[in-house]
């Protein structure tokens, strides 16, 4: 725990640098087990922690399994590796050294096998090498090389800091070859970026607005009632006056009225829907409210939610920027990017408004809906390619024949109705009756027109709701299918934490090899060393639930203690490409360090300050704060310890603190060639 390190609480708020947001993903919790978990389960999780670069957590879990009678050469092998990984001999407490000695005694009672017990024996033989003759060293190294690759590679990787300089020098060429072979294994360059992709949020689409047809029905009943009374009066009067003529006129009127209603309703619906669609595209491209006559006043539109215009909050701005990016990525042949952006301005704005409206209340990052934005941009390009980008213009285009049929039917209806009215008026000699007949005729025209208008609105609204419901189901099906496809693709291609840790380990080995080559050093020249892994801004970071933060850019800081002083060499690694653009080198005398301080702040994270006797303090950011990004089951202190463990902080701090306290004398006493006896005190 960090309680072993001197710590100060930093209140210098003016030095605060905002922590960068990160991504937490994974449907399962990798490294957290319930208290009642079986010893087998604890061991399995412990091994996974060891693979992921968390030896502290690994040794706790595996030892817990051992104390609950889950024991054997394989379990002890992994526990010993966890005990020694990222640690030197002098980082072990006296009790831990005694535990290792007891394990060596217990090992003798295990049944023979071909893998784990020989591997465990080789580990203890390597620990006993300091002070042995060259012939004994050669024999142990031969046994190490004879091990199966899993055991051999694990030992070489995890015993890095406890191997003697002679052993390290002998194995170094092999270690570098393994690192070169594994640095890009598993399609690293393509897959790493997917580690920083968040788990996508589920598919959503805008549901159809509820039908408002019921609101018009009382008006329809009233106007229809007036029309029926007026039309009935005219029809009866005409039949009484001239039965045969009136019947013919009425039959023609009914037929033409039916045709006018049929063709007129289609024309009416197409005209209003086309206007609404075009108005939505035009107004959305100007980021204005998008009125929809079919929309309930109580239901805000995506464009108007939040205050009359598309809200310009951070999430909405991010959605717009993401649409700009992906629409610029998926450009049809024959367009350049500016032309395509101009051509799809309205569509892009409508889609951006919809996505912002659907997901903004979830308080999520735009990264989690990028899968949908990317799909919508690609779908827009595909619809352009197959000619359906502006399908509504074709869908709601009313054929000329329909319009002509409607006009002719209305004209014939009007003439026939007028003829029937004349027939009714001339059937009586009373001037009053004739005046009344024409008055009723004009009343029938007015009420019929109003009734027809209301009926057309009702039918159009019902048809709109049916069409939008069908479109809603089609959109939802397509989006859910894309969501499932992306989720499966992400899970398949995203690297595991063990792969990320292995790649980082290879980078550190090859960086160390380059440094030794540049300075013309061998491991015989190195008294002690440590490598600290910290984030390099700007970065993207992500972690699986229960795991450490992984970064898109790292700073590797190597400290080499030689007989002439301390060499500090640092470099920034682009993790996806495994490239290092350059290095910074600093040399210190042993007496240059006056003290080492660790600063912890809930807003900043961990910082380590190297106080020099002849210059300003050197501040190294170990990790950024993450207390604001904890899952409900996570503990801030435990998560900090996991990240410090992954960074190799404990050994680095102990080494630099010892140099600051005792200078070269501490280095001479604390190196792999002179391990402390098992019974020495802490």
């Amino acid at each position: 725990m960090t309680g072993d390190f001197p710590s100060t609480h930093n209140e210098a708020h003016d030095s605060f640098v905002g922590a960068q947001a990160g991504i937490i993903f994974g449907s399962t919790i990798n490294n957290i087990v319930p208290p009642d978990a079986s010893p087998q389960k604890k061991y399995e999780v412990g091994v996974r922690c060891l693979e992921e670069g968390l030896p502290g957590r690994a040794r706790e879990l595996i030892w817990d399994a051992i104390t609950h009678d889950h024991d054997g050469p394989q379990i002890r092998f992994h526990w010993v590796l966890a005990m020694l990984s990222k640690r030197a001999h002098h980082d072990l407490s006296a009790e831990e050294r005694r535990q290792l000695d007891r394990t060596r005694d217990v090992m003798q009672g295990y049944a023979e096998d071909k893998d784990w017990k020989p591997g465990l024996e080789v580990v203890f033989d390597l620990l006993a090498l300091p002070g042995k003759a060259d012939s004994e060293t050669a024999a142990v190294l031969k046994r190490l090389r004879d091990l199966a690759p899993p055991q051999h590679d694990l030992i070489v990787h995890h015993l890095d800091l406890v191997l003697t300089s002679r052993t390290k020098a002998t194995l170094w060429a092999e270690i570098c070859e393994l690192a070169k072979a594994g640095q890009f294994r598993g399609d690293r360059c393509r897959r790493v970026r997917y580690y920083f992709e968040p788990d996508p949020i589920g598919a959503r689409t805008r549901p159809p607005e509820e039908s408002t047809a019921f609101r018009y029905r009382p008006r329809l009943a009233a106007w229809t009632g007036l029309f029926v009374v007026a039309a009935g009066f005219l029809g009866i009067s005409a039949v009484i006056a001239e039965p045969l003529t009136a019947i013919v006129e009425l039959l023609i009127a009914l037929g033409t009225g039916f045709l006018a209603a049929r063709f007129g309703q289609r024309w009416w619906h197409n005209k209003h829907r086309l206007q609404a669609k075009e108005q939505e595209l035009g107004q959305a491209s100007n980021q204005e409210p998008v009125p929809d006559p079919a929309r309930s006043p109580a239901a805000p539109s995506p464009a108007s939610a939040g205050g009359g215009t598309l809200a310009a909050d951070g999430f909405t701005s991010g959605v717009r920027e993401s649409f700009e990016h992906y629409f610029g990525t998926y450009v049809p042949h024959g367009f350049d990017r500016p032309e395509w952006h101009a051509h799809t301005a309205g569509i892009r704005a409508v889609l951006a408004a919809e996505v912002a409206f659907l997901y903004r209340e979830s308080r999520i990052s735009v990264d989690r809906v990028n899968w949908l934005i990317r799909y919508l941009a690609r779908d827009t390009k595909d619809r352009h390619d197959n000619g359906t980008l502006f399908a509504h213009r074709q869908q709601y285009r009313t054929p000329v024949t329909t319009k002509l049929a409607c006009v002719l039917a209305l004209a014939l209806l009007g003439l026939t109705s007028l003829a029937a009215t004349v027939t009714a008026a001339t059937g009586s000699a009373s001037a009053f009756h004739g005046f009344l007949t024409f008055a009723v005729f004009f009343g029938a025209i007015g009420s019929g027109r109003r009734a027809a208008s209301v009926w057309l609105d009702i039918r159009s609204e019902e048809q709109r709701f049916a069409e939008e419901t069908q479109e809603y189901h089609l959109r939802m099906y397509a989006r859910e299918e894309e969501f499932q496809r992306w989720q499966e693709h992400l899970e398949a291609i995203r690297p595991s934490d063990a792969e990320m840790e292995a790649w980082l380990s290879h980078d550190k080995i090859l960086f160390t090899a380059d440094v030794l080559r540049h300075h013309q050093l061998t491991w015989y020249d190195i008294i002690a060393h440590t490598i600290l892994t910290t984030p390099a801004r700007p970065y993207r970071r992500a972690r699986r639930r229960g795991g450490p933060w992984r970064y898109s850019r790292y700073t590797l800081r190597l400290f080499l203690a030689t007989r002439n002083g301390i060499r500090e060499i640092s470099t920034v690694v682009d993790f996806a490409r495994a490239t290092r653009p350059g290095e910074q080198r600093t040399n210190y005398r042993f007496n240059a360090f006056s003290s080492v301080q660790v600063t912890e702040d809930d807003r900043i994270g961990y910082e380590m300050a190297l106080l020099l006797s002849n210059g300003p303090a050197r501040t190294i950011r170990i990790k950024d704060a993450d207390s604001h990004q904890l899952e409900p089951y996570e503990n801030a202190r435990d998560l900090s310890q996991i990240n410090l463990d992954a960074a190799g902080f404990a050994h680095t701090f102990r080494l630099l603190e010892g140099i600051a306290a005792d200078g070269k004398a501490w280095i001479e006493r604390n190196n792999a060639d002179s391990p402390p006896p098992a019974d020495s005190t802490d």
Side-chain angles (χ1 to χ4, degrees):
M1 296 294 290
T2 56
D4 296 335
F5 309 130
S7 177
T8 59
H9 187 81
N10 183 11
E11 295 293 342
H13 299 300
D14 57 344
S15 64
F16 169 70
V17 179
Q20 294 182 225
I23 294 164
I24 304 171
F25 61 84
S27 57
T28 58
I29 303 172
N30 277 5
N31 304 327
I32 297 180
V33 292
D36 58 347
S38 67
Q40 173 70 23
K41 178 65 175 177
K42 291 180 179 179
Y43 164 70
E44 291 172 356
V45 176
V47 171
R48 189 160 61 240
C49 288
L50 183 62
E51 293 173 345
E52 295 171 2
L54 305 175
R57 179 70 174 148
R59 57 179 170 265
E60 291 176 10
L61 290 170
I62 298 175
W63 184 252
D64 194 319
I66 291 172
T67 58
H68 288 85
D69 299 325
H70 186 64
D71 200 358
Q74 181 177 355
I75 291 88
R76 290 282 180 162
F77 177 82
H78 284 108
W79 176 78
V80 170
L81 293 187
M83 180 68 76
L84 300 172
S85 184
K86 297 185 180 181
R87 305 172 91 190
H89 284 293
H90 295 270
D91 295 327
L92 304 176
S93 67
E95 176 57 29
E96 288 172 332
R97 291 193 289 271
R98 285 191 288 271
Q99 284 179 329
L100 285 173
D101 274 356
R102 287 194 293 269
T103 295
R104 183 168 48 196
D105 296 335
V106 170
M107 175 185 66
Q108 307 305 321
Y110 292 140
E112 295 296 330
D113 66 10
K114 64 177 183 178
D115 293 320
W116 301 107
K117 186 174 180 180
L120 195 56
E121 291 171 344
V122 168
V123 170
F124 283 109
D125 288 343
L126 287 170
L127 295 179
L129 279 182
K132 297 293 180 67
D134 290 347
S135 58
E136 293 182 75
T137 300
V140 173
L141 293 182
K142 182 180 184 306
R143 292 178 57 204
L144 172 63
R145 293 186 177 100
D146 290 341
L147 292 175
Q151 288 77 25
H152 170 275
D153 295 350
L154 286 171
I155 291 172
V156 170
H157 172 59
H158 291 290
L159 267 62
D160 173 61
L161 296 176
V162 297
L163 294 177
T164 64
S165 58
R166 179 173 51 189
T167 305
K168 196 75 173 286
T170 306
L171 293 174
W172 187 238
E174 298 174 31
I175 294 172
C176 291
E177 285 301 317
L178 287 173
K180 288 178 182 177
Q183 188 177 30
F184 294 100
R185 183 179 296 150
D187 201 6
R188 170 181 178 172
C189 293
R190 186 171 69 94
R191 294 175 60 212
V192 162
R193 71 181 183 88
Y194 288 98
Y195 189 90
F196 303 100
E197 288 285 340
D199 285 335
I201 195 168
R204 302 177 190 176
T205 188
R206 182 176 61 185
E209 298 294 341
E210 292 298 327
S211 174
T212 58
F214 67 92
R215 298 180 180 179
Y216 302 105
R217 296 193 184 280
R219 281 192 288 165
L220 176 63
W223 288 115
T224 301
L226 290 175
F227 173 74
V228 168
V229 170
F233 174 80
L234 293 175
I236 293 171
S237 298
V239 169
I240 292 173
E242 294 185 31
L244 292 177
T245 303
I247 289 173
V248 172
E249 291 170 341
L250 291 176
L251 288 175
I252 294 174
L254 287 173
T256 54
F258 172 77
L259 292 175
R262 179 182 177 184
F263 294 117
Q265 191 275 327
R266 188 184 306 171
W267 188 1
W268 178 279
H269 175 71
N270 287 350
K271 177 184 176 182
H272 285 78
R273 291 302 296 155
L274 183 59
Q275 286 178 345
K277 291 280 188 181
E278 290 297 316
Q279 188 177 21
E280 183 178 20
L281 290 176
Q283 291 190 344
S285 64
N286 295 322
Q287 299 176 2
E288 295 177 0
V290 183
D292 188 339
R295 198 185 300 276
S296 167
S301 72
S304 63
T309 59
L310 186 61
D313 57 21
F315 178 73
T316 302
S317 297
V319 168
R320 287 177 181 164
E321 291 172 3
S322 191
F323 268 98
E324 291 282 339
H325 169 73
Y326 285 113
F327 267 74
T329 301
Y330 297 97
V331 179
H333 179 70
F335 281 87
D336 59 23
R337 185 174 298 179
E339 288 175 335
W340 180 241
H341 276 170
H343 187 64
T344 58
I347 292 176
R348 193 172 64 253
V350 168
L351 293 174
E354 179 190 4
V355 171
F357 178 71
L358 290 173
Y359 292 97
R360 185 174 57 195
E361 75 283 0
S362 302
R363 298 187 180 278
I364 61 170
S365 68
V366 176
D367 289 339
R368 295 192 65 192
V369 294
N370 272 340
W371 70 269
L372 176 58
I373 298 172
R374 184 168 52 246
Y375 162 72
L376 293 174
R378 191 173 65 246
D379 179 64
T380 302
K381 172 187 176 295
D382 292 342
R383 287 192 293 124
H384 171 272
D385 290 341
N386 61 31
T388 60
L389 181 56
F390 295 100
H392 65 278
R393 293 174 181 171
Q394 181 65 28
Q395 178 184 356
Y396 296 118
R397 185 182 66 83
T398 305
V400 175
T401 53
T402 299
K403 296 179 180 180
L404 183 60
C406 179
V407 170
L408 290 176
L410 285 173
L412 190 55
L413 173 62
L415 292 174
T416 307
S417 300
L418 180 60
T421 301
V422 171
T423 300
T426 57
S428 173
S430 169
F432 174 75
H433 182 269
F435 175 79
L436 179 61
T437 299
F438 277 98
V440 171
F441 171 70
F442 287 111
I445 292 175
S447 60
R449 181 176 176 276
R450 292 295 183 89
S453 177
V454 174
W455 177 78
L456 288 171
D457 284 339
I458 291 175
R459 289 289 298 135
S460 182
E461 174 64 5
E462 290 173 343
Q463 192 171 344
R464 183 224 32 109
F465 181 72
E467 290 171 353
E468 289 190 354
T469 299
Q470 184 181 21
E471 291 171 359
Y472 166 78
H473 289 299
L474 291 174
R475 285 197 311 271
M476 181 58 79
Y477 176 79
R479 293 184 186 188
E480 286 179 342
E481 193 174 52
E482 174 66 16
F483 170 75
Q484 188 66 27
R485 185 202 68 79
W486 174 248
Q487 197 172 39
E488 291 174 357
H489 173 73
L490 192 59
E491 194 60 34
I493 200 172
R494 178 186 277 154
S496 67
D497 271 79
E499 287 178 298
M500 296 288 282
E501 179 64 23
W503 289 328
L504 182 60
S505 175
H506 298 325
D507 289 345
K508 291 191 286 188
I509 290 171
L510 295 177
F511 169 56
T512 304
D514 288 344
V515 169
L516 294 179
R517 190 179 306 112
H518 175 82
H519 290 281
Q520 298 182 343
L521 296 171
T522 68
W523 284 106
Y524 292 106
D525 302 312
I526 309 301
I527 301 173
H529 75 285
T530 185
I531 189 165
L532 185 64
T533 308
T534 58
R537 292 177 178 270
Y539 59 71
R540 296 181 69 191
R541 70 173 180 172
R543 64 182 178 90
R544 290 186 184 270
R545 290 184 172 92
W549 287 111
R550 307 285 179 182
Y551 300 92
S552 61
R553 297 176 77 246
Y554 283 98
T555 296
L556 304 183
R557 188 171 276 103
L558 175 65
F559 293 91
L560 297 175
T562 68
R563 301 192 182 282
N564 297 321
I566 306 296
R567 298 177 188 265
E568 178 191 344
I569 307 94
S570 63
T571 189
V572 172
V573 176
D574 182 329
F575 193 66
R577 300 178 179 86
T579 56
R580 292 181 271 117
E583 297 177 358
Q584 290 184 337
R585 305 182 185 93
T586 308
N587 297 323
Y588 308 100
R589 298 188 308 277
F590 285 110
N591 59 5
F593 285 106
S594 59
S595 66
V596 181
Q597 293 182 356
V598 177
T599 302
E600 179 183 3
D601 188 289
D602 290 338
R603 300 175 307 117
I604 296 176
Y606 270 79
E607 289 184 343
M608 182 171 67
L610 307 180
L611 303 182
L612 306 177
S613 58
N614 58 351
R618 294 266 329 286
T619 300
I620 300 173
R621 176 70 60 82
I622 306 298
K623 61 177 285 293
D624 285 325
D626 46 32
S627 59
H628 64 295
Q629 289 187 301
L630 293 175
E631 295 289 286
Y633 53 81
E634 290 181 321
N635 178 275
R637 178 61 60 179
D638 290 344
L639 184 59
S640 286
Q641 185 59 40
I642 285 173
N643 283 287
L644 293 174
D645 198 14
F649 172 71
H651 176 66
T652 300
F653 179 82
R654 180 180 176 86
L655 176 63
L656 297 180
E657 184 188 42
I659 295 172
D662 298 328
K664 186 176 181 179
W666 190 91
I667 292 292
E668 297 288 0
R669 293 194 306 271
N670 292 266
N671 66 80
D673 293 325
S674 58
D679 57 354
S680 66
T681 58
D682 293 318

